[in-house]
Amino acid sequence: MKAASDASFPGHGSLLEIAGITGVVMPIERNAEIFGQGEPAEYIYKITSGAVRTYRLLCDGRRQIDAFYLAGDMFGLELSDMHSYSCEAVTGAKIVFFQRSAILAAAQRDGEVARQLWELTARHLRRSQDHTLLLVKSSQERVASFLLEMARRLRETSTVELPMPRQDIADYLGLTIETVSRTLTQFEEQSTIEFLAARRIALLNPTLLKQLNS
Amino acid sequence: MKAASDASFPGHGSLLEIAGITGVVMPIERNAEIFGQGEPAEYIYKITSGAVRTYRLLCDGRRQIDAFYLAGDMFGLELSDMHSYSCEAVTGAKIVFFQRSAILAAAQRDGEVARQLWELTARHLRRSQDHTLLLVKSSQERVASFLLEMARRLRETSTVELPMPRQDIADYLGLTIETVSRTLTQFEEQSTIEFLAARRIALLNPTLLKQLNS
DNA sequence: CGTATTCTTGAGCGACTTCAAGTATGGTGG
DNA sequence: CCACCATACTTGAAGTCGCTCAAGAATACG
C-alpha cells in the first residue's frame, strides 16, 4: 500500500513507496513545534505543503537555523533516537508522520529501503556542507545564494515567494535581520531584484546573483 | 579476512571487519592530495595515523576546510560517485584505501554493512551541523571550541598537540590566521592556555573554555 | 479602522580583517 | 654542531563590514 503523501509527488521516488509504510497526514499551524531538541525521535516526516525550519539554540538565546524543508522534502531522520535539534512550522503545513521504528525495521529487511535511508542522510550532509560554505561568505553573497537556493527549490525561476520571515533568513545565514533587510534593499536599488511584496521577490538579474554565489 | 587497518583499532566496531573487505595501506606525505573535487570516488579511506583535511575552494581562492580526520576516522564516502570536495594530508599519514565498489556491493548483500554505511554518513552529518553552529559564534568561542574538540578527539585532556598549521585552523573556523593567532595569545595572557610549543598547547583552564563553548 | 507584527532605515560602534613587518621554528647542508 | 634558509607564527596600526540600538514605515488581521 502506498503512503498517502506519495500520490501528490509521483516523480519523487519516495522511500515510502518502496517500504510500503503508511503515514498519517497532520495539519500543523504556523510556528507550532513539530519536535524539540532532546526529545525521543518517534517519527520521520514528509512535508506535502508549507515549510518548516530546524534549528538549535545557544545558551544565550542565539538561534542557528540548520535548514528549511519545503513541499516534497523528508526530514527528522537522525542516527540517534533523540533529536539533536528542534523543528517548527514556518507556515501552516501538511506533514505526513511515519513511524521511525517501522522505517528502520523495513530497512533491515529490504536493502533498497536501507539504501534510500542512506541517500536521504547523504543528501542532508551535502546540504549541510553547502550551508557551511555559505557562512564564510560576505553578506551580499549569502543573501544572493539564499535567493537562488529558494528559487531553485521552489521551482520558481523569475519570482520567489519566500515562506519565512526576515528573522528566519537572518538566523539561517548567520546575519542580523537588519543586514538581511539592508542587503535586499541594496539589491533592489541596483535593480538586481524587485519587491512585488516584502516576501515576493522578482529576480531581475539572476546572472549577477549567480556571480555572487561563486 | 580482516582488513589490515582494523587490527590496531579493535574497539572501533569497524565496517570493514564485518564487510570482510581488505584495504591497502598507503603512506601519504604531508600536503599530498588524496583526492580532488570532481574526481571519481574510487575509494573509501580509513586513517590509521596522521591527519587529513577536506576542503572546498571558492572561485576567488578562499578556502573552507570542512573537516579534519584523525587516526581511527573513516572518510571519503559520498552519495555521488564524484567527490564534491578535495582532501589532503595535513601531516605524513598512513591511510587504508578500500574499493568503494566493493563496499557498496557488500552493503547491498549485508544489511548490517548497509547500516554501518548509514551510521558513518549520519555521524558526518552531525559533525557538519556542529561545524555550522560553530561558525555563528565569536572568534573566542570558535577557538575555544576548536581546542576542546581537538583535545577530545585526540584523547588528550590537559595538553593538545595540534597536527595542523594556523592557516588550516583559520580556514576551518572561518577566521583569518591573524585572528586565530591573536585569540590564542589572548588565552595565554589570561592563563587559560599555555604554549609549550606553537602547536603544543596546555589547557590550563578547560572550564573557562567550555563556558565559551556554550 | 486600529493594533500587533514585520520590515526598513539611520547613526554610531566594535569585532574582525587587511596590510605590513618582525620574530620564532624546523629542516638541510656545510 | 652551527649557519642558513624557508616556512610558520606573531604583532601592530588602520580600515571596513556587519552589529547594536533606536525609531519609523508598511503590512496583515481582526
PDB file of all heavy atoms in Angstrom, chain D residues 2-15:
ATOM      1  P    DC D   2      76.899  24.625  18.566  1.00  0.00           P
ATOM      2  OP1  DC D   2      77.713  25.282  19.611  1.00  0.00           O
ATOM      3  OP2  DC D   2      75.510  24.242  18.839  1.00  0.00           O
ATOM      4  O5'  DC D   2      76.935  25.553  17.283  1.00  0.00           O
ATOM      5  C5'  DC D   2      78.140  25.624  16.506  1.00  0.00           C
ATOM      6  C4'  DC D   2      77.805  26.078  15.101  1.00  0.00           C
ATOM      7  O4'  DC D   2      77.145  25.010  14.366  1.00  0.00           O
ATOM      8  C3'  DC D   2      76.839  27.275  15.039  1.00  0.00           C
ATOM      9  O3'  DC D   2      77.359  28.219  14.121  1.00  0.00           O
ATOM     10  C2'  DC D   2      75.524  26.660  14.557  1.00  0.00           C
ATOM     11  C1'  DC D   2      76.051  25.543  13.656  1.00  0.00           C
ATOM     12  N1   DC D   2      75.101  24.429  13.405  1.00  0.00           N
ATOM     13  C2   DC D   2      74.914  23.978  12.093  1.00  0.00           C
ATOM     14  O2   DC D   2      75.548  24.518  11.173  1.00  0.00           O
ATOM     15  N3   DC D   2      74.057  22.954  11.860  1.00  0.00           N
ATOM     16  C4   DC D   2      73.403  22.394  12.886  1.00  0.00           C
ATOM     17  N4   DC D   2      72.578  21.375  12.607  1.00  0.00           N
ATOM     18  C5   DC D   2      73.579  22.826  14.223  1.00  0.00           C
ATOM     19  C6   DC D   2      74.420  23.837  14.437  1.00  0.00           C
ATOM     20  P    DA D   3      76.858  29.750  14.143  1.00  0.00           P
ATOM     21  OP1  DA D   3      77.964  30.598  14.630  1.00  0.00           O
ATOM     22  OP2  DA D   3      75.527  29.815  14.796  1.00  0.00           O
ATOM     23  O5'  DA D   3      76.673  30.007  12.581  1.00  0.00           O
ATOM     24  C5'  DA D   3      77.599  29.428  11.657  1.00  0.00           C
ATOM     25  C4'  DA D   3      76.947  29.404  10.291  1.00  0.00           C
ATOM     26  O4'  DA D   3      76.048  28.267  10.213  1.00  0.00           O
ATOM     27  C3'  DA D   3      76.087  30.627   9.977  1.00  0.00           C
ATOM     28  O3'  DA D   3      76.282  30.995   8.612  1.00  0.00           O
ATOM     29  C2'  DA D   3      74.675  30.179  10.269  1.00  0.00           C
ATOM     30  C1'  DA D   3      74.735  28.703   9.905  1.00  0.00           C
ATOM     31  N9   DA D   3      73.817  27.848  10.661  1.00  0.00           N
ATOM     32  C8   DA D   3      73.521  27.926  11.996  1.00  0.00           C
ATOM     33  N7   DA D   3      72.674  27.003  12.403  1.00  0.00           N
ATOM     34  C5   DA D   3      72.400  26.277  11.241  1.00  0.00           C
ATOM     35  C6   DA D   3      71.571  25.169  10.999  1.00  0.00           C
ATOM     36  N6   DA D   3      70.855  24.568  11.933  1.00  0.00           N
ATOM     37  N1   DA D   3      71.527  24.697   9.742  1.00  0.00           N
ATOM     38  C2   DA D   3      72.262  25.297   8.792  1.00  0.00           C
ATOM     39  N3   DA D   3      73.087  26.341   8.903  1.00  0.00           N
ATOM     40  C4   DA D   3      73.103  26.786  10.169  1.00  0.00           C
ATOM     41  P    DC D   4      75.584  32.281   7.992  1.00  0.00           P
ATOM     42  OP1  DC D   4      76.508  32.876   7.013  1.00  0.00           O
ATOM     43  OP2  DC D   4      75.030  33.096   9.099  1.00  0.00           O
ATOM     44  O5'  DC D   4      74.371  31.627   7.187  1.00  0.00           O
ATOM     45  C5'  DC D   4      74.630  30.652   6.181  1.00  0.00           C
ATOM     46  C4'  DC D   4      73.321  30.029   5.740  1.00  0.00           C
ATOM     47  O4'  DC D   4      72.779  29.266   6.825  1.00  0.00           O
ATOM     48  C3'  DC D   4      72.251  31.057   5.371  1.00  0.00           C
ATOM     49  O3'  DC D   4      72.003  30.975   3.967  1.00  0.00           O
ATOM     50  C2'  DC D   4      71.015  30.667   6.196  1.00  0.00           C
ATOM     51  C1'  DC D   4      71.371  29.279   6.701  1.00  0.00           C
ATOM     52  N1   DC D   4      70.810  28.946   8.043  1.00  0.00           N
ATOM     53  C2   DC D   4      69.996  27.811   8.185  1.00  0.00           C
ATOM     54  O2   DC D   4      69.774  27.115   7.196  1.00  0.00           O
ATOM     55  N3   DC D   4      69.494  27.512   9.411  1.00  0.00           N
ATOM     56  C4   DC D   4      69.771  28.295  10.465  1.00  0.00           C
ATOM     57  N4   DC D   4      69.259  27.952  11.641  1.00  0.00           N
ATOM     58  C5   DC D   4      70.601  29.451  10.340  1.00  0.00           C
ATOM     59  C6   DC D   4      71.090  29.739   9.126  1.00  0.00           C
ATOM     60  P    DC D   5      71.233  32.178   3.216  1.00  0.00           P
ATOM     61  OP1  DC D   5      71.881  32.349   1.896  1.00  0.00           O
ATOM     62  OP2  DC D   5      71.060  33.324   4.132  1.00  0.00           O
ATOM     63  O5'  DC D   5      69.808  31.516   2.970  1.00  0.00           O
ATOM     64  C5'  DC D   5      69.720  30.208   2.411  1.00  0.00           C
ATOM     65  C4'  DC D   5      68.383  29.602   2.784  1.00  0.00           C
ATOM     66  O4'  DC D   5      68.352  29.342   4.195  1.00  0.00           O
ATOM     67  C3'  DC D   5      67.180  30.498   2.496  1.00  0.00           C
ATOM     68  O3'  DC D   5      66.443  29.937   1.416  1.00  0.00           O
ATOM     69  C2'  DC D   5      66.369  30.513   3.803  1.00  0.00           C
ATOM     70  C1'  DC D   5      67.016  29.417   4.641  1.00  0.00           C
ATOM     71  N1   DC D   5      67.045  29.704   6.106  1.00  0.00           N
ATOM     72  C2   DC D   5      66.509  28.770   6.994  1.00  0.00           C
ATOM     73  O2   DC D   5      66.016  27.725   6.551  1.00  0.00           O
ATOM     74  N3   DC D   5      66.548  29.030   8.319  1.00  0.00           N
ATOM     75  C4   DC D   5      67.095  30.170   8.765  1.00  0.00           C
ATOM     76  N4   DC D   5      67.111  30.380  10.091  1.00  0.00           N
ATOM     77  C5   DC D   5      67.645  31.127   7.877  1.00  0.00           C
ATOM     78  C6   DC D   5      67.602  30.864   6.559  1.00  0.00           C
ATOM     79  P    DA D   6      65.221  30.739   0.792  1.00  0.00           P
ATOM     80  OP1  DA D   6      65.272  30.582  -0.677  1.00  0.00           O
ATOM     81  OP2  DA D   6      65.147  32.080   1.399  1.00  0.00           O
ATOM     82  O5'  DA D   6      64.002  29.859   1.338  1.00  0.00           O
ATOM     83  C5'  DA D   6      64.058  28.430   1.214  1.00  0.00           C
ATOM     84  C4'  DA D   6      62.937  27.823   2.031  1.00  0.00           C
ATOM     85  O4'  DA D   6      63.230  28.014   3.435  1.00  0.00           O
ATOM     86  C3'  DA D   6      61.569  28.463   1.778  1.00  0.00           C
ATOM     87  O3'  DA D   6      60.593  27.445   1.694  1.00  0.00           O
ATOM     88  C2'  DA D   6      61.364  29.381   2.973  1.00  0.00           C
ATOM     89  C1'  DA D   6      62.139  28.647   4.075  1.00  0.00           C
ATOM     90  N9   DA D   6      62.685  29.548   5.087  1.00  0.00           N
ATOM     91  C8   DA D   6      63.314  30.746   4.887  1.00  0.00           C
ATOM     92  N7   DA D   6      63.714  31.326   5.989  1.00  0.00           N
ATOM     93  C5   DA D   6      63.317  30.442   6.991  1.00  0.00           C
ATOM     94  C6   DA D   6      63.448  30.469   8.392  1.00  0.00           C
ATOM     95  N6   DA D   6      64.040  31.462   9.050  1.00  0.00           N
ATOM     96  N1   DA D   6      62.936  29.426   9.077  1.00  0.00           N
ATOM     97  C2   DA D   6      62.350  28.429   8.412  1.00  0.00           C
ATOM     98  N3   DA D   6      62.175  28.288   7.099  1.00  0.00           N
ATOM     99  C4   DA D   6      62.688  29.352   6.443  1.00  0.00           C
ATOM    100  P    DT D   7      59.088  27.809   1.302  1.00  0.00           P
ATOM    101  OP1  DT D   7      58.642  26.783   0.347  1.00  0.00           O
ATOM    102  OP2  DT D   7      59.002  29.240   0.975  1.00  0.00           O
ATOM    103  O5'  DT D   7      58.320  27.562   2.673  1.00  0.00           O
ATOM    104  C5'  DT D   7      58.602  26.394   3.436  1.00  0.00           C
ATOM    105  C4'  DT D   7      58.122  26.594   4.859  1.00  0.00           C
ATOM    106  O4'  DT D   7      58.958  27.562   5.526  1.00  0.00           O
ATOM    107  C3'  DT D   7      56.691  27.124   4.970  1.00  0.00           C
ATOM    108  O3'  DT D   7      55.932  26.144   5.653  1.00  0.00           O
ATOM    109  C2'  DT D   7      56.817  28.425   5.744  1.00  0.00           C
ATOM    110  C1'  DT D   7      58.160  28.255   6.446  1.00  0.00           C
ATOM    111  N1   DT D   7      58.874  29.523   6.785  1.00  0.00           N
ATOM    112  C2   DT D   7      59.180  29.761   8.103  1.00  0.00           C
ATOM    113  O2   DT D   7      58.900  29.010   9.008  1.00  0.00           O
ATOM    114  N3   DT D   7      59.845  30.943   8.325  1.00  0.00           N
ATOM    115  C4   DT D   7      60.222  31.880   7.368  1.00  0.00           C
ATOM    116  O4   DT D   7      60.822  32.894   7.702  1.00  0.00           O
ATOM    117  C5   DT D   7      59.869  31.557   6.012  1.00  0.00           C
ATOM    118  C7   DT D   7      60.235  32.509   4.915  1.00  0.00           C
ATOM    119  C6   DT D   7      59.213  30.399   5.774  1.00  0.00           C
ATOM    120  P    DA D   8      54.371  26.370   5.999  1.00  0.00           P
ATOM    121  OP1  DA D   8      53.732  25.042   5.991  1.00  0.00           O
ATOM    122  OP2  DA D   8      53.853  27.463   5.158  1.00  0.00           O
ATOM    123  O5'  DA D   8      54.402  26.897   7.509  1.00  0.00           O
ATOM    124  C5'  DA D   8      55.138  26.171   8.482  1.00  0.00           C
ATOM    125  C4'  DA D   8      55.080  26.926   9.787  1.00  0.00           C
ATOM    126  O4'  DA D   8      55.913  28.114   9.695  1.00  0.00           O
ATOM    127  C3'  DA D   8      53.677  27.421  10.144  1.00  0.00           C
ATOM    128  O3'  DA D   8      53.427  27.029  11.481  1.00  0.00           O
ATOM    129  C2'  DA D   8      53.746  28.929   9.980  1.00  0.00           C
ATOM    130  C1'  DA D   8      55.210  29.218  10.223  1.00  0.00           C
ATOM    131  N9   DA D   8      55.738  30.392   9.528  1.00  0.00           N
ATOM    132  C8   DA D   8      55.649  30.695   8.199  1.00  0.00           C
ATOM    133  N7   DA D   8      56.233  31.813   7.853  1.00  0.00           N
ATOM    134  C5   DA D   8      56.755  32.283   9.049  1.00  0.00           C
ATOM    135  C6   DA D   8      57.500  33.435   9.375  1.00  0.00           C
ATOM    136  N6   DA D   8      57.865  34.349   8.468  1.00  0.00           N
ATOM    137  N1   DA D   8      57.859  33.592  10.662  1.00  0.00           N
ATOM    138  C2   DA D   8      57.499  32.670  11.565  1.00  0.00           C
ATOM    139  N3   DA D   8      56.815  31.550  11.376  1.00  0.00           N
ATOM    140  C4   DA D   8      56.463  31.421  10.089  1.00  0.00           C
ATOM    141  P    DC D   9      51.998  27.340  12.176  1.00  0.00           P
ATOM    142  OP1  DC D   9      51.762  26.250  13.135  1.00  0.00           O
ATOM    143  OP2  DC D   9      51.025  27.628  11.116  1.00  0.00           O
ATOM    144  O5'  DC D   9      52.250  28.683  13.000  1.00  0.00           O
ATOM    145  C5'  DC D   9      53.280  28.695  13.977  1.00  0.00           C
ATOM    146  C4'  DC D   9      53.517  30.118  14.429  1.00  0.00           C
ATOM    147  O4'  DC D   9      54.030  30.892  13.333  1.00  0.00           O
ATOM    148  C3'  DC D   9      52.272  30.858  14.906  1.00  0.00           C
ATOM    149  O3'  DC D   9      52.339  30.980  16.320  1.00  0.00           O
ATOM    150  C2'  DC D   9      52.331  32.207  14.179  1.00  0.00           C
ATOM    151  C1'  DC D   9      53.750  32.244  13.635  1.00  0.00           C
ATOM    152  N1   DC D   9      53.935  33.051  12.384  1.00  0.00           N
ATOM    153  C2   DC D   9      54.680  34.227  12.444  1.00  0.00           C
ATOM    154  O2   DC D   9      55.160  34.577  13.528  1.00  0.00           O
ATOM    155  N3   DC D   9      54.846  34.954  11.315  1.00  0.00           N
ATOM    156  C4   DC D   9      54.315  34.537  10.163  1.00  0.00           C
ATOM    157  N4   DC D   9      54.522  35.293   9.083  1.00  0.00           N
ATOM    158  C5   DC D   9      53.558  33.340  10.081  1.00  0.00           C
ATOM    159  C6   DC D   9      53.388  32.632  11.195  1.00  0.00           C
ATOM    160  P    DT D  10      51.218  31.863  17.094  1.00  0.00           P
ATOM    161  OP1  DT D  10      51.240  31.407  18.499  1.00  0.00           O
ATOM    162  OP2  DT D  10      49.974  31.869  16.315  1.00  0.00           O
ATOM    163  O5'  DT D  10      51.836  33.329  17.048  1.00  0.00           O
ATOM    164  C5'  DT D  10      53.085  33.572  17.682  1.00  0.00           C
ATOM    165  C4'  DT D  10      53.448  35.040  17.551  1.00  0.00           C
ATOM    166  O4'  DT D  10      53.528  35.392  16.155  1.00  0.00           O
ATOM    167  C3'  DT D  10      52.463  36.022  18.190  1.00  0.00           C
ATOM    168  O3'  DT D  10      53.216  36.795  19.114  1.00  0.00           O
ATOM    169  C2'  DT D  10      51.945  36.861  17.021  1.00  0.00           C
ATOM    170  C1'  DT D  10      53.053  36.704  15.993  1.00  0.00           C
ATOM    171  N1   DT D  10      52.670  36.815  14.566  1.00  0.00           N
ATOM    172  C2   DT D  10      53.171  37.842  13.806  1.00  0.00           C
ATOM    173  O2   DT D  10      53.911  38.702  14.246  1.00  0.00           O
ATOM    174  N3   DT D  10      52.777  37.823  12.489  1.00  0.00           N
ATOM    175  C4   DT D  10      51.953  36.903  11.872  1.00  0.00           C
ATOM    176  O4   DT D  10      51.675  36.987  10.682  1.00  0.00           O
ATOM    177  C5   DT D  10      51.455  35.855  12.725  1.00  0.00           C
ATOM    178  C7   DT D  10      50.552  34.801  12.162  1.00  0.00           C
ATOM    179  C6   DT D  10      51.829  35.847  14.015  1.00  0.00           C
ATOM    180  P    DT D  11      52.482  37.658  20.244  1.00  0.00           P
ATOM    181  OP1  DT D  11      53.363  37.688  21.426  1.00  0.00           O
ATOM    182  OP2  DT D  11      51.097  37.182  20.368  1.00  0.00           O
ATOM    183  O5'  DT D  11      52.445  39.114  19.598  1.00  0.00           O
ATOM    184  C5'  DT D  11      53.667  39.721  19.213  1.00  0.00           C
ATOM    185  C4'  DT D  11      53.403  40.935  18.346  1.00  0.00           C
ATOM    186  O4'  DT D  11      53.009  40.520  17.022  1.00  0.00           O
ATOM    187  C3'  DT D  11      52.288  41.879  18.837  1.00  0.00           C
ATOM    188  O3'  DT D  11      52.913  43.079  19.235  1.00  0.00           O
ATOM    189  C2'  DT D  11      51.370  42.051  17.624  1.00  0.00           C
ATOM    190  C1'  DT D  11      52.246  41.571  16.482  1.00  0.00           C
ATOM    191  N1   DT D  11      51.549  41.008  15.309  1.00  0.00           N
ATOM    192  C2   DT D  11      51.822  41.534  14.069  1.00  0.00           C
ATOM    193  O2   DT D  11      52.597  42.454  13.883  1.00  0.00           O
ATOM    194  N3   DT D  11      51.137  40.946  13.033  1.00  0.00           N
ATOM    195  C4   DT D  11      50.236  39.898  13.122  1.00  0.00           C
ATOM    196  O4   DT D  11      49.696  39.440  12.120  1.00  0.00           O
ATOM    197  C5   DT D  11      49.991  39.392  14.445  1.00  0.00           C
ATOM    198  C7   DT D  11      49.032  38.276  14.649  1.00  0.00           C
ATOM    199  C6   DT D  11      50.655  39.970  15.464  1.00  0.00           C
ATOM    200  P    DG D  12      52.125  44.273  19.951  1.00  0.00           P
ATOM    201  OP1  DG D  12      53.047  44.890  20.930  1.00  0.00           O
ATOM    202  OP2  DG D  12      50.812  43.745  20.380  1.00  0.00           O
ATOM    203  O5'  DG D  12      51.884  45.300  18.760  1.00  0.00           O
ATOM    204  C5'  DG D  12      52.990  45.792  18.021  1.00  0.00           C
ATOM    205  C4'  DG D  12      52.502  46.637  16.862  1.00  0.00           C
ATOM    206  O4'  DG D  12      52.016  45.764  15.806  1.00  0.00           O
ATOM    207  C3'  DG D  12      51.350  47.590  17.195  1.00  0.00           C
ATOM    208  O3'  DG D  12      51.734  48.898  16.784  1.00  0.00           O
ATOM    209  C2'  DG D  12      50.175  47.067  16.376  1.00  0.00           C
ATOM    210  C1'  DG D  12      50.876  46.353  15.228  1.00  0.00           C
ATOM    211  N9   DG D  12      50.119  45.266  14.616  1.00  0.00           N
ATOM    212  C8   DG D  12      49.597  44.165  15.232  1.00  0.00           C
ATOM    213  N7   DG D  12      48.989  43.346  14.409  1.00  0.00           N
ATOM    214  C5   DG D  12      49.134  43.961  13.171  1.00  0.00           C
ATOM    215  C6   DG D  12      48.678  43.543  11.895  1.00  0.00           C
ATOM    216  O6   DG D  12      48.058  42.519  11.596  1.00  0.00           O
ATOM    217  N1   DG D  12      49.031  44.451  10.908  1.00  0.00           N
ATOM    218  C2   DG D  12      49.725  45.619  11.121  1.00  0.00           C
ATOM    219  N2   DG D  12      49.982  46.375  10.065  1.00  0.00           N
ATOM    220  N3   DG D  12      50.159  46.014  12.302  1.00  0.00           N
ATOM    221  C4   DG D  12      49.821  45.136  13.279  1.00  0.00           C
ATOM    222  P    DA D  13      50.923  50.201  17.241  1.00  0.00           P
ATOM    223  OP1  DA D  13      51.909  51.233  17.651  1.00  0.00           O
ATOM    224  OP2  DA D  13      49.833  49.797  18.161  1.00  0.00           O
ATOM    225  O5'  DA D  13      50.262  50.643  15.863  1.00  0.00           O
ATOM    226  C5'  DA D  13      51.030  50.600  14.664  1.00  0.00           C
ATOM    227  C4'  DA D  13      50.145  51.008  13.494  1.00  0.00           C
ATOM    228  O4'  DA D  13      49.484  49.827  12.964  1.00  0.00           O
ATOM    229  C3'  DA D  13      49.025  51.976  13.851  1.00  0.00           C
ATOM    230  O3'  DA D  13      48.815  52.833  12.736  1.00  0.00           O
ATOM    231  C2'  DA D  13      47.842  51.076  14.103  1.00  0.00           C
ATOM    232  C1'  DA D  13      48.070  50.014  13.026  1.00  0.00           C
ATOM    233  N9   DA D  13      47.479  48.710  13.300  1.00  0.00           N
ATOM    234  C8   DA D  13      47.297  48.106  14.516  1.00  0.00           C
ATOM    235  N7   DA D  13      46.743  46.908  14.440  1.00  0.00           N
ATOM    236  C5   DA D  13      46.560  46.723  13.085  1.00  0.00           C
ATOM    237  C6   DA D  13      46.030  45.660  12.342  1.00  0.00           C
ATOM    238  N6   DA D  13      45.573  44.537  12.889  1.00  0.00           N
ATOM    239  N1   DA D  13      45.995  45.786  10.996  1.00  0.00           N
ATOM    240  C2   DA D  13      46.465  46.914  10.444  1.00  0.00           C
ATOM    241  N3   DA D  13      46.992  47.981  11.042  1.00  0.00           N
ATOM    242  C4   DA D  13      47.014  47.817  12.369  1.00  0.00           C
ATOM    243  P    DA D  14      47.814  54.104  12.799  1.00  0.00           P
ATOM    244  OP1  DA D  14      48.581  55.289  12.376  1.00  0.00           O
ATOM    245  OP2  DA D  14      47.080  54.083  14.087  1.00  0.00           O
ATOM    246  O5'  DA D  14      46.796  53.742  11.626  1.00  0.00           O
ATOM    247  C5'  DA D  14      47.317  53.322  10.363  1.00  0.00           C
ATOM    248  C4'  DA D  14      46.206  52.724   9.536  1.00  0.00           C
ATOM    249  O4'  DA D  14      45.858  51.421  10.064  1.00  0.00           O
ATOM    250  C3'  DA D  14      44.915  53.537   9.528  1.00  0.00           C
ATOM    251  O3'  DA D  14      44.473  53.647   8.186  1.00  0.00           O
ATOM    252  C2'  DA D  14      43.959  52.738  10.396  1.00  0.00           C
ATOM    253  C1'  DA D  14      44.447  51.320  10.142  1.00  0.00           C
ATOM    254  N9   DA D  14      44.150  50.366  11.201  1.00  0.00           N
ATOM    255  C8   DA D  14      44.313  50.513  12.555  1.00  0.00           C
ATOM    256  N7   DA D  14      43.962  49.461  13.254  1.00  0.00           N
ATOM    257  C5   DA D  14      43.540  48.556  12.295  1.00  0.00           C
ATOM    258  C6   DA D  14      43.047  47.242  12.391  1.00  0.00           C
ATOM    259  N6   DA D  14      42.881  46.597  13.545  1.00  0.00           N
ATOM    260  N1   DA D  14      42.721  46.616  11.244  1.00  0.00           N
ATOM    261  C2   DA D  14      42.887  47.267  10.084  1.00  0.00           C
ATOM    262  N3   DA D  14      43.347  48.499   9.864  1.00  0.00           N
ATOM    263  C4   DA D  14      43.655  49.094  11.027  1.00  0.00           C
ATOM    264  P    DG D  15      43.154  54.442   7.800  1.00  0.00           P
ATOM    265  OP1  DG D  15      43.462  55.259   6.602  1.00  0.00           O
ATOM    266  OP2  DG D  15      42.565  55.064   9.002  1.00  0.00           O
ATOM    267  O5'  DG D  15      42.203  53.246   7.333  1.00  0.00           O
ATOM    268  C5'  DG D  15      42.689  52.331   6.352  1.00  0.00           C
ATOM    269  C4'  DG D  15      41.648  51.236   6.156  1.00  0.00           C
ATOM    270  O4'  DG D  15      41.589  50.400   7.343  1.00  0.00           O
ATOM    271  C3'  DG D  15      40.225  51.760   5.925  1.00  0.00           C
ATOM    272  O3'  DG D  15      39.658  51.009   4.854  1.00  0.00           O
ATOM    273  C2'  DG D  15      39.510  51.476   7.246  1.00  0.00           C
ATOM    274  C1'  DG D  15      40.236  50.241   7.748  1.00  0.00           C
ATOM    275  N9   DG D  15      40.243  50.082   9.203  1.00  0.00           N
ATOM    276  C8   DG D  15      40.644  51.005  10.137  1.00  0.00           C
ATOM    277  N7   DG D  15      40.545  50.566  11.363  1.00  0.00           N
ATOM    278  C5   DG D  15      40.058  49.270  11.223  1.00  0.00           C
ATOM    279  C6   DG D  15      39.754  48.294  12.205  1.00  0.00           C
ATOM    280  O6   DG D  15      39.861  48.375  13.435  1.00  0.00           O
ATOM    281  N1   DG D  15      39.290  47.106  11.638  1.00  0.00           N
ATOM    282  C2   DG D  15      39.137  46.896  10.285  1.00  0.00           C
ATOM    283  N2   DG D  15      38.667  45.709   9.915  1.00  0.00           N
ATOM    284  N3   DG D  15      39.413  47.804   9.353  1.00  0.00           N
ATOM    285  C4   DG D  15      39.871  48.958   9.897  1.00  0.00           C
TER     286       DG D  15
END
